[in-house]
Amino acid sequence: MSITDRPDITTLCNKACKGMHNPKHSHIVYLEHMLRNLKGTKTEGLCYRHNDSVVSNLRAHLSRKYVEHQPMRDLPVVIFSDANFADMADEELRSTSGHSTYVFNCLVSWSSKRQTLTARSTFQAELIAASSASDNASWYYNLISELKFIFFPGMEVIPPIPLLIDNINALNCANHPKQTPASKHVHIREFRIRQYAKDGVIRNLWVPTPLNAADFFTKPMGPTLFRKFKAILGVSGSSVDADFVLQECLFNYTYGTSLDLLLFDSELATSPWNWTADALWVADDLSVDIANEDWRSSHLAAFHGFDLIYKHGDIITNHGTDTYTAGM
């Protein structure tokens, strides 16, 4: 299931399978979490949409904000790459590589794999993950070459596949063939990504970490981030829409938070205390006097440590104390 229609259990399955021959308590915990998740989401699975997906909105935002992303916006294939450096749950502190491939903004392949050597730095772990993702990109490039009449009808030259990386040092190393003190210990096989870029198979681009769709496949996540990434992966049953998930990612990127925001509209205003997130996003049409001290003292006690984010126009206020310009 983890490699066919349930990408949301891939990371836990990867962690649990490490204890197949010598299981420990941590492996049992991963397995219990995975089975509990499957029991409660029996009807969920990958759902392909022609438009209005989180990734399509994400790529549109990147093309507006970064010039280098503009030629890549409407390409049919995009690949995200990420790595989790030195997993503390691993006895040998091996890192975990993850990548996800989207065709026409729909997730078609993904990977979560323990690296075969112990990386000395985040840069090396990210470069190893990007090199593995570039192999996958090469396979898709060859497939597109065979089916050019479907993907690029009437075009003689196939454009490179965008490979999105969130580590600046790994990106510079993949794009520029020069030796640095940080890269001199990296195995030569990891530099094949440079050859793919030189041959026009891939184009390495930077993506902010909160917008990196491959982050889900590198480490287990709590319920807040888990729900958000389920929507990014396109798993049916996700309770938030595509545009809202993108707005949340942009909020996290702008202010460095990791809040999971739950949108409240006028239809939910009658029961505003039914939430499952770590924070509440109160829409403009929900009348809440958060700046009133009496209101906060009488209602915030029911939050149990939750944060309340109030949006009024272009102003975002947290607990009525700190005010930020939204800018999104």
Side-chain angles (χ1 to χ4, degrees):
M1 293 179 63
S2 66
I3 61 175
T4 54
D5 65 337
R6 292 301 300 268
D8 53 318
I9 66 171
T10 300
T11 304
L12 287 177
C13 185
N14 177 34
K15 299 292 184 181
C17 288
K18 294 178 182 178
M20 183 178 299
H21 301 290
N22 185 24
K24 298 182 178 179
H25 180 264
S26 59
H27 303 121
I28 303 300
V29 172
Y30 288 134
L31 184 61
E32 288 178 347
H33 278 288
M34 183 173 60
L35 294 177
R36 189 181 300 115
N37 178 38
L38 290 175
K39 181 181 179 180
T41 57
K42 296 178 181 179
T43 60
E44 294 187 3
L46 275 179
C47 180
Y48 290 159
R49 297 177 175 87
H50 179 66
N51 50 25
D52 193 30
S53 66
V54 178
V55 174
S56 63
N57 294 349
L58 188 151
R59 295 179 67 183
H61 167 76
L62 291 175
S63 64
R64 290 192 301 267
K65 190 173 181 62
Y66 306 104
V67 177
E68 61 271 18
H69 281 266
Q70 292 179 359
M72 306 285 116
R73 173 178 178 177
D74 297 324
L75 295 184
V77 181
V78 61
I79 299 178
F80 295 84
S81 172
D82 198 14
N84 179 31
F85 172 63
D87 186 2
M88 298 302 296
D90 191 285
E91 294 181 354
E92 299 178 355
L93 295 179
R94 299 283 179 88
S95 304
T96 302
S97 298
H99 67 259
S100 56
T101 304
Y102 290 81
V103 177
F104 296 113
N105 298 318
C106 297
L107 183 66
V108 295
S109 68
W110 55 92
S111 172
S112 176
K113 185 178 180 180
R114 179 176 182 257
Q115 295 183 358
T116 57
L117 54 87
T118 303
R120 296 179 57 181
S121 61
T122 303
F123 154 73
Q124 184 180 4
E126 294 278 358
L127 184 61
I128 294 174
S131 298
S132 177
S134 67
D135 292 334
N136 192 49
S138 177
W139 186 90
Y140 277 95
Y141 188 86
N142 294 332
L143 177 64
I144 293 174
S145 300
E146 296 292 334
L147 302 176
K148 186 167 56 176
F149 62 93
I150 296 178
F151 291 92
F152 298 102
M155 293 183 61
E156 294 296 331
V157 180
I158 301 176
I161 295 176
L163 176 58
L164 306 186
I165 308 170
D166 62 3
N167 185 276
I168 293 294
N169 291 332
L171 179 65
N172 292 336
C173 183
N175 287 333
H176 306 293
K178 67 176 183 179
Q179 194 80 352
T180 64
S183 63
K184 64 182 181 180
H185 62 274
V186 179
H187 198 284
I188 191 172
R189 65 185 178 188
E190 309 303 342
F191 294 117
R192 61 188 182 277
I193 188 175
R194 294 176 175 174
Q195 187 63 41
Y196 289 136
K198 182 179 179 181
D199 295 340
V201 175
I202 62 174
R203 183 179 180 186
N204 303 309
L205 299 172
W206 180 77
V207 61
T209 299
L211 305 182
N212 192 345
D215 190 36
F216 181 85
F217 299 106
T218 61
K219 53 186 172 291
M221 295 184 174
T224 57
L225 290 176
F226 185 78
R227 284 188 294 270
K228 181 184 76 173
F229 274 99
K230 281 181 65 176
I232 295 177
L233 299 177
V235 177
S236 64
S238 302
S239 58
V240 289
D241 60 87
D243 184 65
F244 178 69
V245 173
L246 177 61
Q247 292 297 325
E248 179 190 346
C249 292
L250 296 179
F251 183 86
N252 294 348
Y253 173 53
T254 304
Y255 301 114
T257 66
S258 58
L259 299 176
D260 184 26
L261 309 179
L262 185 62
L263 181 62
F264 272 63
D265 55 24
S266 56
E267 297 179 358
L268 298 177
T270 56
S271 56
W273 311 125
N274 296 325
W275 66 82
T276 56
D278 284 346
L280 305 181
W281 179 282
V282 183
D284 294 328
D285 52 354
L286 178 59
S287 178
V288 175
D289 188 10
I290 187 175
N292 185 282
E293 184 67 30
D294 294 334
W295 184 92
R296 295 209 311 274
S297 61
S298 60
H299 290 82
L300 292 183
F303 284 1
H304 301 291
F306 287 44
D307 289 328
L308 182 65
I309 306 299
Y310 176 58
K311 180 177 183 296
H312 181 70
D314 289 334
I315 302 299
I316 293 180
T317 305
N318 185 0
H319 289 307
T321 56
D322 301 320
T323 301
Y324 308 93
T325 301
M328 37 182 173

